[in-house]
Amino acid sequence: PGWRLRIDAPEGAYTVDEAGQDRQAVPGRLQSAGALSPDGRLRLFARWEGGDDEIWVSDADGGNPRRLTDNAVRDDSPSWSADGRRILFASDLTGPWQVHAMEADGSGVRQLTREARGAYLPAWAPDGRLAYAAHVEGEYKARVDEVVLLDGEARTVVAGPVMVLALAFSPDGTRLAVGVPGRILLCEVPPRKAGAPARSIPVAEGLGVRDLRWRPDGKAIACRALFLGGRPAGDVLFGDEELFVVPLEGEGKPAWFKVGERAAFSWVR
């Protein structure tokens, strides 16, 4: 059988094909969204708690939540290492946002970056290399970043300047997907040639591409694409409830279908 998408929503779980068709119910009911651990047993997420963001982990279905960070600063953008033993996250613990790492149980927190204007949206490659967005200038909708690859002590800018909204390494670690307004940038890591432009793949004009999930064979990416900026309270806009599937080979165009605002998603077979 081919690859399918598992949708975990508050009302129940199901799988669909890449066009959102052939819906098949499966056991499970999601209580909170987040990134599944590599072994599929845990879900990792940030939650606004007591005036700041904290990092939490729960069982895969959202049950049994437990807090991993507990401080008076913001901790956000958590992601798993390839072996599930460590967690990357961004925090303003020491001033501007910087990338930190900790063990999967919340112990052993250590700072990994020291960017002058801040670093966030960290992602780990399967081999342990680190990618993140380094702030260059501007704020909010005018924010400009560089995408940095950190390999030991070697620091390489692989994309930018651009507003970065999400980062995700391919399963084999040779490419880095960068979610930006309206599109995905695909970067070779390391670049074959210094200054070589990233491949640009249109997704949804005017929407911010985030929550990137590579298909395990590296031939497609599922993602969200959300409106950038303010809106009237209660309005539901295109992208809020849709999941986008972006083919990376051939001339295929992105497909999208509704899954709901609170649904989590993952590739299954």
mmCIF file of all heavy atoms in Angstrom, residues 193-224:
data_model
loop_
_atom_site.group_PDB
_atom_site.id
_atom_site.type_symbol
_atom_site.label_atom_id
_atom_site.label_comp_id
_atom_site.label_asym_id
_atom_site.label_seq_id
_atom_site.Cartn_x
_atom_site.Cartn_y
_atom_site.Cartn_z
ATOM 1 N N LYS A 193 27.258 24.195 -3.689
ATOM 2 C CA LYS A 193 28.007 25.359 -4.141
ATOM 3 C C LYS A 193 27.621 26.553 -3.279
ATOM 4 O O LYS A 193 26.431 26.802 -3.055
ATOM 5 C CB LYS A 193 27.695 25.643 -5.616
ATOM 6 C CG LYS A 193 28.463 26.812 -6.209
ATOM 7 C CD LYS A 193 28.083 26.994 -7.671
ATOM 8 C CE LYS A 193 28.829 28.172 -8.285
ATOM 9 N NZ LYS A 193 28.463 28.374 -9.714
ATOM 10 N N ALA A 194 28.614 27.272 -2.789
ATOM 11 C CA ALA A 194 28.335 28.429 -1.933
ATOM 12 C C ALA A 194 27.478 29.441 -2.672
ATOM 13 O O ALA A 194 27.755 29.782 -3.825
ATOM 14 C CB ALA A 194 29.647 29.065 -1.482
ATOM 15 N N GLY A 195 26.419 29.906 -2.009
ATOM 16 C CA GLY A 195 25.555 30.909 -2.614
ATOM 17 C C GLY A 195 24.523 30.362 -3.574
ATOM 18 O O GLY A 195 23.760 31.132 -4.162
ATOM 19 N N ALA A 196 24.468 29.036 -3.768
ATOM 20 C CA ALA A 196 23.487 28.455 -4.677
ATOM 21 C C ALA A 196 22.079 28.697 -4.146
ATOM 22 O O ALA A 196 21.823 28.502 -2.958
ATOM 23 C CB ALA A 196 23.743 26.963 -4.841
ATOM 24 N N PRO A 197 21.135 29.132 -5.007
ATOM 25 C CA PRO A 197 19.778 29.424 -4.523
ATOM 26 C C PRO A 197 19.028 28.152 -4.141
ATOM 27 O O PRO A 197 19.237 27.085 -4.720
ATOM 28 C CB PRO A 197 19.121 30.107 -5.723
ATOM 29 C CG PRO A 197 19.870 29.587 -6.915
ATOM 30 C CD PRO A 197 21.284 29.390 -6.441
ATOM 31 N N ALA A 198 18.171 28.278 -3.153
ATOM 32 C CA ALA A 198 17.321 27.154 -2.761
ATOM 33 C C ALA A 198 16.215 26.971 -3.800
ATOM 34 O O ALA A 198 15.820 27.912 -4.491
ATOM 35 C CB ALA A 198 16.709 27.415 -1.390
ATOM 36 N N ARG A 199 15.722 25.764 -3.933
ATOM 37 C CA ARG A 199 14.569 25.515 -4.792
ATOM 38 C C ARG A 199 13.314 26.064 -4.116
ATOM 39 O O ARG A 199 13.086 25.821 -2.928
ATOM 40 C CB ARG A 199 14.421 24.018 -5.027
ATOM 41 C CG ARG A 199 13.221 23.626 -5.883
ATOM 42 C CD ARG A 199 13.093 22.116 -5.958
ATOM 43 N NE ARG A 199 11.829 21.721 -6.577
ATOM 44 C CZ ARG A 199 11.328 20.495 -6.518
ATOM 45 N NH1 ARG A 199 11.989 19.542 -5.862
ATOM 46 N NH2 ARG A 199 10.179 20.208 -7.107
ATOM 47 N N SER A 200 12.505 26.800 -4.846
ATOM 48 C CA SER A 200 11.310 27.439 -4.305
ATOM 49 C C SER A 200 10.069 26.729 -4.827
ATOM 50 O O SER A 200 9.878 26.604 -6.040
ATOM 51 C CB SER A 200 11.281 28.917 -4.703
ATOM 52 O OG SER A 200 10.122 29.546 -4.220
ATOM 53 N N ILE A 201 9.210 26.260 -3.913
ATOM 54 C CA ILE A 201 8.009 25.510 -4.278
ATOM 55 C C ILE A 201 6.784 26.264 -3.772
ATOM 56 O O ILE A 201 6.579 26.375 -2.558
ATOM 57 C CB ILE A 201 8.043 24.100 -3.670
ATOM 58 C CG1 ILE A 201 9.307 23.360 -4.102
ATOM 59 C CG2 ILE A 201 6.794 23.321 -4.057
ATOM 60 C CD1 ILE A 201 9.483 22.024 -3.428
ATOM 61 N N PRO A 202 5.941 26.788 -4.660
ATOM 62 C CA PRO A 202 4.744 27.503 -4.220
ATOM 63 C C PRO A 202 3.779 26.578 -3.476
ATOM 64 O O PRO A 202 3.600 25.425 -3.849
ATOM 65 C CB PRO A 202 4.120 27.998 -5.532
ATOM 66 C CG PRO A 202 5.211 27.931 -6.542
ATOM 67 C CD PRO A 202 6.085 26.783 -6.128
ATOM 68 N N VAL A 203 3.157 27.105 -2.413
ATOM 69 C CA VAL A 203 2.173 26.348 -1.640
ATOM 70 C C VAL A 203 0.851 27.095 -1.609
ATOM 71 O O VAL A 203 -0.169 26.593 -2.096
ATOM 72 C CB VAL A 203 2.671 26.077 -0.208
ATOM 73 C CG1 VAL A 203 1.602 25.329 0.596
ATOM 74 C CG2 VAL A 203 3.977 25.287 -0.231
ATOM 75 N N ALA A 204 0.820 28.278 -1.011
ATOM 76 C CA ALA A 204 -0.426 29.045 -0.890
ATOM 77 C C ALA A 204 -0.065 30.519 -0.740
ATOM 78 O O ALA A 204 0.472 30.921 0.295
ATOM 79 C CB ALA A 204 -1.246 28.567 0.304
ATOM 80 N N GLU A 205 -0.362 31.301 -1.759
ATOM 81 C CA GLU A 205 -0.012 32.710 -1.772
ATOM 82 C C GLU A 205 -0.637 33.432 -0.578
ATOM 83 O O GLU A 205 -1.824 33.280 -0.276
ATOM 84 C CB GLU A 205 -0.506 33.360 -3.072
ATOM 85 C CG GLU A 205 -0.064 34.803 -3.253
ATOM 86 C CD GLU A 205 1.438 34.933 -3.465
ATOM 87 O OE1 GLU A 205 2.038 33.984 -4.012
ATOM 88 O OE2 GLU A 205 1.995 35.966 -3.072
ATOM 89 N N GLY A 206 0.189 34.212 0.132
ATOM 90 C CA GLY A 206 -0.295 35.028 1.233
ATOM 91 C C GLY A 206 -0.413 34.320 2.565
ATOM 92 O O GLY A 206 -0.758 34.955 3.561
ATOM 93 N N LEU A 207 -0.133 33.000 2.613
ATOM 94 C CA LEU A 207 -0.217 32.255 3.857
ATOM 95 C C LEU A 207 1.182 31.856 4.323
ATOM 96 O O LEU A 207 2.099 31.677 3.522
ATOM 97 C CB LEU A 207 -1.078 31.003 3.680
ATOM 98 C CG LEU A 207 -2.519 31.222 3.230
ATOM 99 C CD1 LEU A 207 -3.264 29.890 3.184
ATOM 100 C CD2 LEU A 207 -3.251 32.200 4.152
ATOM 101 N N GLY A 208 1.335 31.706 5.630
ATOM 102 C CA GLY A 208 2.619 31.326 6.210
ATOM 103 C C GLY A 208 2.733 29.822 6.341
ATOM 104 O O GLY A 208 1.943 29.188 7.045
ATOM 105 N N VAL A 209 3.706 29.215 5.675
ATOM 106 C CA VAL A 209 3.848 27.761 5.643
ATOM 107 C C VAL A 209 4.609 27.288 6.875
ATOM 108 O O VAL A 209 5.714 27.760 7.161
ATOM 109 C CB VAL A 209 4.580 27.317 4.361
ATOM 110 C CG1 VAL A 209 4.775 25.805 4.349
ATOM 111 C CG2 VAL A 209 3.793 27.758 3.128
ATOM 112 N N ARG A 210 4.011 26.322 7.602
ATOM 113 C CA ARG A 210 4.608 25.836 8.850
ATOM 114 C C ARG A 210 4.194 24.389 9.105
ATOM 115 O O ARG A 210 3.508 23.786 8.299
ATOM 116 C CB ARG A 210 4.196 26.734 10.015
ATOM 117 C CG ARG A 210 2.694 26.805 10.245
ATOM 118 C CD ARG A 210 2.355 27.909 11.239
ATOM 119 N NE ARG A 210 2.552 29.215 10.657
ATOM 120 C CZ ARG A 210 2.721 30.333 11.354
ATOM 121 N NH1 ARG A 210 2.754 30.291 12.669
ATOM 122 N NH2 ARG A 210 2.866 31.491 10.754
ATOM 123 N N ASP A 211 4.650 23.830 10.223
ATOM 124 C CA ASP A 211 4.320 22.440 10.604
ATOM 125 C C ASP A 211 4.668 21.470 9.473
ATOM 126 O O ASP A 211 3.821 20.717 8.994
ATOM 127 C CB ASP A 211 2.844 22.305 10.983
ATOM 128 C CG ASP A 211 2.477 23.103 12.214
ATOM 129 O OD1 ASP A 211 3.382 23.402 13.009
ATOM 130 O OD2 ASP A 211 1.293 23.431 12.382
ATOM 131 N N LEU A 212 5.917 21.484 9.063
ATOM 132 C CA LEU A 212 6.366 20.660 7.941
ATOM 133 C C LEU A 212 6.565 19.214 8.373
ATOM 134 O O LEU A 212 7.249 18.937 9.355
ATOM 135 C CB LEU A 212 7.689 21.198 7.390
ATOM 136 C CG LEU A 212 7.687 22.682 6.980
ATOM 137 C CD1 LEU A 212 9.116 23.149 6.742
ATOM 138 C CD2 LEU A 212 6.845 22.891 5.734
ATOM 139 N N ARG A 213 5.985 18.254 7.619
ATOM 140 C CA ARG A 213 6.151 16.830 7.883
ATOM 141 C C ARG A 213 6.566 16.131 6.583
ATOM 142 O O ARG A 213 5.771 15.999 5.654
ATOM 143 C CB ARG A 213 4.846 16.203 8.387
ATOM 144 C CG ARG A 213 4.257 16.831 9.637
ATOM 145 C CD ARG A 213 4.913 16.327 10.911
ATOM 146 N NE ARG A 213 4.153 16.748 12.067
ATOM 147 C CZ ARG A 213 4.245 17.943 12.654
ATOM 148 N NH1 ARG A 213 5.090 18.841 12.176
ATOM 149 N NH2 ARG A 213 3.506 18.230 13.715
ATOM 150 N N TRP A 214 7.817 15.707 6.516
ATOM 151 C CA TRP A 214 8.303 14.988 5.345
ATOM 152 C C TRP A 214 7.659 13.607 5.256
ATOM 153 O O TRP A 214 7.522 12.906 6.269
ATOM 154 C CB TRP A 214 9.810 14.790 5.429
ATOM 155 C CG TRP A 214 10.639 15.987 5.115
ATOM 156 C CD1 TRP A 214 10.952 17.010 5.970
ATOM 157 C CD2 TRP A 214 11.283 16.293 3.884
ATOM 158 N NE1 TRP A 214 11.758 17.915 5.342
ATOM 159 C CE2 TRP A 214 11.989 17.504 4.066
ATOM 160 C CE3 TRP A 214 11.355 15.649 2.649
ATOM 161 C CZ2 TRP A 214 12.743 18.087 3.043
ATOM 162 C CZ3 TRP A 214 12.113 16.227 1.635
ATOM 163 C CH2 TRP A 214 12.786 17.439 1.832
ATOM 164 N N ARG A 215 7.283 13.190 4.053
ATOM 165 C CA ARG A 215 6.926 11.792 3.848
ATOM 166 C C ARG A 215 8.191 10.972 4.033
ATOM 167 O O ARG A 215 9.282 11.417 3.608
ATOM 168 C CB ARG A 215 6.347 11.597 2.442
ATOM 169 C CG ARG A 215 5.448 10.386 2.315
ATOM 170 C CD ARG A 215 4.700 10.388 1.014
ATOM 171 N NE ARG A 215 5.552 9.987 -0.108
ATOM 172 C CZ ARG A 215 5.149 9.940 -1.373
ATOM 173 N NH1 ARG A 215 3.909 10.316 -1.681
ATOM 174 N NH2 ARG A 215 5.967 9.554 -2.333
ATOM 175 N N PRO A 216 8.138 9.820 4.662
ATOM 176 C CA PRO A 216 9.362 9.082 4.983
ATOM 177 C C PRO A 216 10.249 8.730 3.791
ATOM 178 O O PRO A 216 11.448 8.521 3.961
ATOM 179 C CB PRO A 216 8.831 7.822 5.673
ATOM 180 C CG PRO A 216 7.579 8.292 6.359
ATOM 181 C CD PRO A 216 6.965 9.250 5.382
ATOM 182 N N ASP A 217 9.680 8.686 2.572
ATOM 183 C CA ASP A 217 10.519 8.432 1.400
ATOM 184 C C ASP A 217 11.092 9.706 0.800
ATOM 185 O O ASP A 217 11.798 9.666 -0.219
ATOM 186 C CB ASP A 217 9.736 7.651 0.336
ATOM 187 C CG ASP A 217 8.534 8.419 -0.215
ATOM 188 O OD1 ASP A 217 8.323 9.588 0.189
ATOM 189 O OD2 ASP A 217 7.799 7.846 -1.045
ATOM 190 N N GLY A 218 10.804 10.872 1.400
ATOM 191 C CA GLY A 218 11.375 12.140 0.957
ATOM 192 C C GLY A 218 10.778 12.717 -0.302
ATOM 193 O O GLY A 218 11.328 13.660 -0.878
ATOM 194 N N LYS A 219 9.617 12.213 -0.754
ATOM 195 C CA LYS A 219 9.055 12.642 -2.032
ATOM 196 C C LYS A 219 7.878 13.606 -1.898
ATOM 197 O O LYS A 219 7.313 14.036 -2.901
ATOM 198 C CB LYS A 219 8.625 11.418 -2.846
ATOM 199 C CG LYS A 219 9.801 10.524 -3.244
ATOM 200 C CD LYS A 219 9.343 9.338 -4.075
ATOM 201 C CE LYS A 219 10.538 8.480 -4.481
ATOM 202 N NZ LYS A 219 10.121 7.315 -5.316
ATOM 203 N N ALA A 220 7.487 13.950 -0.694
ATOM 204 C CA ALA A 220 6.383 14.889 -0.475
ATOM 205 C C ALA A 220 6.484 15.446 0.936
ATOM 206 O O ALA A 220 7.146 14.867 1.813
ATOM 207 C CB ALA A 220 5.028 14.210 -0.683
ATOM 208 N N ILE A 221 5.833 16.590 1.149
ATOM 209 C CA ILE A 221 5.760 17.221 2.462
ATOM 210 C C ILE A 221 4.307 17.577 2.737
ATOM 211 O O ILE A 221 3.626 18.163 1.884
ATOM 212 C CB ILE A 221 6.625 18.490 2.531
ATOM 213 C CG1 ILE A 221 8.116 18.134 2.455
ATOM 214 C CG2 ILE A 221 6.336 19.289 3.803
ATOM 215 C CD1 ILE A 221 9.031 19.339 2.375
ATOM 216 N N ALA A 222 3.821 17.226 3.920
ATOM 217 C CA ALA A 222 2.524 17.701 4.399
ATOM 218 C C ALA A 222 2.785 18.882 5.331
ATOM 219 O O ALA A 222 3.769 18.886 6.078
ATOM 220 C CB ALA A 222 1.768 16.596 5.125
ATOM 221 N N CYS A 223 1.925 19.886 5.282
ATOM 222 C CA CYS A 223 2.170 21.091 6.079
ATOM 223 C C CYS A 223 0.871 21.847 6.319
ATOM 224 O O CYS A 223 -0.171 21.564 5.720
ATOM 225 C CB CYS A 223 3.181 21.994 5.376
ATOM 226 S SG CYS A 223 2.620 22.612 3.769
ATOM 227 N N ARG A 224 0.963 22.812 7.189
ATOM 228 C CA ARG A 224 -0.094 23.793 7.388
ATOM 229 C C ARG A 224 0.329 25.093 6.695
ATOM 230 O O ARG A 224 1.515 25.345 6.471
ATOM 231 C CB ARG A 224 -0.308 24.071 8.870
ATOM 232 C CG ARG A 224 -0.897 22.906 9.656
ATOM 233 C CD ARG A 224 -2.372 22.772 9.434
ATOM 234 N NE ARG A 224 -3.019 22.020 10.509
ATOM 235 C CZ ARG A 224 -4.329 21.958 10.671
ATOM 236 N NH1 ARG A 224 -5.133 22.602 9.841
ATOM 237 N NH2 ARG A 224 -4.848 21.264 11.657
#
